[in-house]
Amino acid sequence: MKIHGLQKMTLLDFPGKVACTVFLGGCEFRCPFCHNSDLLDPQAPATIEENEFFRFLGGRVGLLDGVAITGGEPLLRTDIADFIRRIREMGFLVKLDTNGDHPDRLKALVAEGLIDYVAMDIKNSHARYAETIGVPGYDISKIEESVRFLLTDAVDYEFRTTVLRQFHDEDSFKDIADWIKGAKRYYLQGFVDRETVPFAGLSAYDEEEMKVFKNIVEPSVNQVEIRGY
């Protein structure tokens, strides 16, 4: 496994757990607001060797609860199941971040009992999905399949949306609310500009404006929260 980054401890990335976060490169989306645009190329040089990572994990047995796997898009990796099995064999829980574009691989990992928690991005409403991910003409059917699967409660999960003034409005969240109706958790995340964001001039809503969007979704979802303020 080619590993492109390691955060050795986090209290935020894996809800309720003390974890480390592993970053895997490669993503099929080209979101203009991506915080990890330096991870889009799967051929970028690894920053940590797999054996070095597992030596690190071996020294954290009893100290960390789990491993959060993010990217990029981790499910692009054909060897992701083997990587997670090795983590699980060491006694760690696993949280997976995904854009939802690989429902078959997601289902297989869950069916094997390899995943404890999934965080899936809902980039925007159906009508504005392709625009928001930077892929013209994108077929949203795989995203819909991943949403339907997570709504079956086969694994613990959350949905989340990074909210930007240039891409989201009240209609966005009316559509999302209907789409994920009955979901356990949904987080609206405030956009934070960084040097790694590929497009300049993007901006966040303020907290009061975010509360308007939260109020739209709340009747449809069990738990709705705002992050980043």
Side-chain angles (χ1 to χ4, degrees):
M1 177 64 68
K2 187 182 285 189
I3 299 172
H4 291 89
L6 173 64
Q7 183 178 353
K8 293 184 176 181
M9 191 184 79
T10 175
L11 300 176
L12 300 176
D13 290 348
F14 197 150
K17 307 297 181 185
V18 180
C20 67
T21 302
V22 179
F23 297 84
L24 306 181
C27 186
E28 63 272 59
F29 293 173
R30 291 296 180 266
C31 304
F33 50 91
C34 180
H35 281 173
N36 293 334
S37 61
D38 52 332
L39 299 179
L40 293 178
D41 180 8
Q43 303 306 319
T47 60
I48 178 172
E49 295 299 323
E50 183 174 344
N51 287 339
E52 181 184 350
F53 167 67
F54 281 107
R55 283 195 298 272
F56 160 78
L57 269 192
R60 295 301 188 275
V61 173
L63 300 175
L64 297 178
D65 300 315
V67 178
I69 303 175
T70 190
E73 172 49 49
L75 293 184
L76 275 175
R77 302 298 189 91
T78 57
D79 53 350
I80 188 69
D82 290 337
F83 183 64
I84 295 174
R85 286 187 198 104
R86 192 169 172 186
I87 294 171
R88 294 300 296 256
E89 287 168 0
M90 297 178 72
F92 294 100
L93 303 173
V94 174
K95 179 232 184 184
L96 176 74
D97 291 349
T98 182
N99 61 26
D101 196 42
H102 304 272
D104 290 344
R105 196 161 288 165
L106 173 62
K107 291 176 184 179
L109 293 175
V110 171
E112 193 177 334
L114 296 178
I115 304 296
D116 299 284
Y117 192 91
V118 175
M120 177 181 159
D121 294 324
I122 302 289
K123 301 293 186 179
N124 208 334
S125 63
H126 289 73
R128 299 190 69 180
Y129 222 90
E131 170 196 0
T132 306
I133 65 172
V135 182
Y138 176 75
D139 180 0
I140 203 171
S141 61
K142 290 182 180 179
I143 305 297
E144 293 175 320
E145 185 177 348
S146 292
V147 169
R148 287 193 299 269
F149 172 66
L150 291 178
L151 288 174
T152 67
D153 284 332
V155 63
D156 203 8
Y157 69 94
E158 67 182 55
F159 295 116
R160 60 193 187 180
T161 301
T162 299
V163 186
L164 294 94
R165 196 173 292 278
Q166 289 76 16
F167 290 96
H168 302 91
D169 54 24
E170 292 189 21
D171 286 340
S172 300
F173 295 98
K174 290 174 184 176
D175 181 80
I176 290 171
D178 183 61
W179 191 1
I180 65 171
K181 187 173 184 178
K184 280 184 175 180
R185 304 176 194 90
Y186 178 60
Y187 293 96
L188 297 100
Q189 301 181 154
F191 169 71
V192 179
D193 203 3
R194 297 177 182 172
E195 290 184 1
T196 54
V197 172
F199 284 78
L202 301 176
S203 56
Y205 285 98
D206 64 37
E207 188 173 5
E208 290 306 309
E209 292 171 313
M210 292 284 277
K211 288 178 181 177
V212 173
F213 300 146
K214 179 176 183 284
N215 290 339
I216 291 172
V217 182
E218 272 187 321
S220 299
V221 176
N222 290 297
Q223 177 185 348
V224 183
E225 303 290 344
I226 296 171
R227 284 176 175 156
Y229 293 86

